[in-house]
Amino acid sequence: MATEFSHEANQSPATAERRAEILANPGFGDYFSDHMVTIDWEGDYKTGGTWYDARVHPYGPLTLDPASAVFHYGQEIFEGVKGYRHADGSVWTFRPEKNAERFARSAHRLSLPEMPADLFIESLRELVKADEAWVPTGDGEAFYFRPFMIATEAYLGVRPAKHVQYHVIGSPAGNYFGTPEPVDIWLSTTYARAGEGGTGAAKCGGNYAASMIAQIEGEKHGCKQVIFKDPHRGDAIEELGGMNVFFVFGKENKIVTPELTGTILEGVTRSSLIQLAKDRGMTVEERAITLNEWREGVANGDITEVFACGTAAVVAPIGKLKAEDFEIPAPTEHFGEISKSLREELVGIQLGTVEDRHGWMTRLI
């Protein structure tokens, strides 16, 4: 049985003129639509509970008790999903069931209730119904959904919270980096994003908070992103602060991406690019790739491209890798050909201009 959502209209929405001004240059995560979704949960993590009071209401501040568990023990998770305007005016989203599955895995890891996939997807649909006018139409633009779950029980004992809130907010979004041109990245040799047995495979705020100090370090060296390695596995490359990474071995028609070891987030874009590469007859390897292999592969021409991927950025070519005492230059031969082509195919599927062979798209409205 479908969940019924109540609706409360925002009595002071953005004017049409203000919304048009925002949509002309949305940036990323800078502006938010007029409404949000909230659903409550109450129960016991070990024995179960109930989702209730699903509602669409005006976007605005949350009122939380200072003792809410999210503030003290970090019980929170989130997702990133995009909605795309198609030529006929309809709005679609890309593989939301995969985001729902990952949201449930993250919830399990953080001892939060697992939301049913159909309720997760319906919450996206209800928000975009209310705020359809906020879905942009520009090249590379989308409506970015941010679902998140927080522990709201006011209790200082160390145990899973018995009251939780789920929310979805929405934001018109342009290209994450402003351009699909190559970005230089910084190699963190001091800090780790996640550790073995930790929360690296979950999409939770603590992982991103842990990466920020390294990102600031990278920005001082002219880099927009930071990448992490595992010194206990021969300096195996892991992922960027918020994206997965791929290496293109052009001569072998092969791409390689770090294997999922429990410290790396399993990206929806990552798995989609793996499938698209296989569709083209490319060899795909999910395995350890070390810093030395990266260095030597660029030097001898085996590695012809390096790129990052994620929901926000889609595909971002990587230029130089910078570190304290060395640099690995960007590959020069055929640089960007495969990553650009994969990006165009993936974005085409999302926008409805390329055949959706795998049934990845879900219509919201």
Side-chain angles (χ1 to χ4, degrees), residues 248-256 281-285 287 293 297 300-304:
V248 179
F249 290 72
K251 298 173 186 176
E252 301 176 66
N253 195 33
K254 177 176 75 176
I255 63 172
V256 177
M282 298 184 74
T283 300
V284 179
E285 294 179 359
R287 62 169 174 83
E293 185 178 1
N300 63 26
D302 287 346
I303 293 177
T304 52

Side-chain angles (χ1 to χ4, degrees), residues 173-206:
N175 185 276
Y176 188 72
F177 289 118
T179 172
E181 293 302 311
V183 294
D184 294 339
I185 60 173
W186 178 252
L187 176 68
S188 176
T189 56
T190 304
Y191 304 105
R193 173 187 169 275
E196 185 176 353
T199 58
K203 198 167 179 69
C204 62

Side-chain angles (χ1 to χ4, degrees), residues 28-68:
F28 186 86
D30 296 324
Y31 308 100
F32 300 93
S33 63
D34 294 314
H35 297 87
M36 61 187 291
V37 169
T38 298
I39 310 176
D40 288 275
W41 179 90
E42 192 165 356
D44 186 285
Y45 175 73
K46 293 175 286 187
T47 59
T50 302
W51 293 101
Y52 66 97
D53 196 13
R55 56 204 185 273
V56 180
H57 58 99
Y59 179 94
L62 302 178
T63 300
L64 297 176
D65 193 289
S68 295

Side-chain angles (χ1 to χ4, degrees), residues 95-129:
R95 307 189 77 180
E97 69 285 348
K98 289 296 182 183
N99 292 96
E101 290 170 9
R102 186 171 65 184
F103 198 62
R105 292 196 301 271
S106 297
H108 177 75
R109 181 62 183 85
L110 273 293
S111 301
L112 289 163
E114 296 177 32
M115 172 170 278
D118 58 348
L119 182 56
F120 178 92
I121 295 170
E122 187 59 28
S123 71
L124 309 181
R125 180 173 285 111
E126 291 293 328
L127 180 59
V128 83
K129 280 182 185 177

Side-chain angles (χ1 to χ4, degrees), residues 65-299:
D65 193 289
S68 295
V70 64
F71 297 136
H72 303 276
Y73 306 123
Q75 262 194 296
E76 69 81 38
I77 58 173
F78 68 96
E79 268 298 327
V81 187
K82 281 182 175 178
Y84 306 90
R85 177 82 72 183
H86 284 193
D88 64 358
S90 59
V91 179
W92 298 67
T93 190
F94 180 72
R95 307 189 77 180
E97 69 285 348
K98 289 296 182 183
N99 292 96
E101 290 170 9
R102 186 171 65 184
F103 198 62
R105 292 196 301 271
S106 297
H108 177 75
R109 181 62 183 85
L110 273 293
S111 301
L112 289 163
E114 296 177 32
M115 172 170 278
D118 58 348
L119 182 56
F120 178 92
I121 295 170
E122 187 59 28
S123 71
L124 309 181
R125 180 173 285 111
E126 291 293 328
L127 180 59
V128 83
K129 280 182 185 177
D131 286 342
E132 180 185 354
W134 285 90
V135 181
T137 58
D139 183 39
E141 296 177 347
F143 186 79
Y144 186 82
F145 297 94
R146 172 51 62 89
F148 62 100
M149 189 189 300
I150 56 175
T152 51
E153 183 186 5
Y155 179 75
L156 296 183
V158 183
R159 60 158 172 76
K162 294 183 177 180
H163 188 271
V164 162
Q165 280 190 339
Y166 167 80
H167 302 279
V168 189
I169 56 177
S171 174
N175 185 276
Y176 188 72
F177 289 118
T179 172
E181 293 302 311
V183 294
D184 294 339
I185 60 173
W186 178 252
L187 176 68
S188 176
T189 56
T190 304
Y191 304 105
R193 173 187 169 275
E196 185 176 353
T199 58
K203 198 167 179 69
C204 62
N207 295 339
Y208 293 78
S211 74
M212 288 179 185
I213 190 169
Q215 184 162 327
I216 291 169
E217 185 179 74
E219 288 172 356
K220 292 178 181 177
H221 293 83
C223 298
K224 291 187 177 181
Q225 268 286 350
V226 62
I227 197 166
F228 297 93
K229 61 184 180 65
D230 186 348
H232 304 296
R233 293 193 303 129
D235 283 344
I237 300 300
E238 294 211 305
E239 65 173 302
L240 282 72
M243 292 181 284
N244 297 120
V245 64
F246 282 86
F247 299 84
V248 179
F249 290 72
K251 298 173 186 176
E252 301 176 66
N253 195 33
K254 177 176 75 176
I255 63 172
V256 177
T257 190
E259 61 191 331
L260 301 174
T261 60
T263 60
I264 296 174
L265 187 69
E266 183 178 355
V268 177
T269 307
R270 173 188 183 275
S271 64
S272 304
L273 291 172
I274 287 173
Q275 183 60 59
L276 293 180
K278 289 178 177 178
D279 291 348
R280 297 176 176 206
M282 298 184 74
T283 300
V284 179
E285 294 179 359
E286 298 179 67
R287 62 169 174 83
I289 182 165
T290 66
L291 185 60
N292 279 338
E293 185 178 1
W294 186 346
R295 180 186 291 109
E296 293 170 3
V298 170

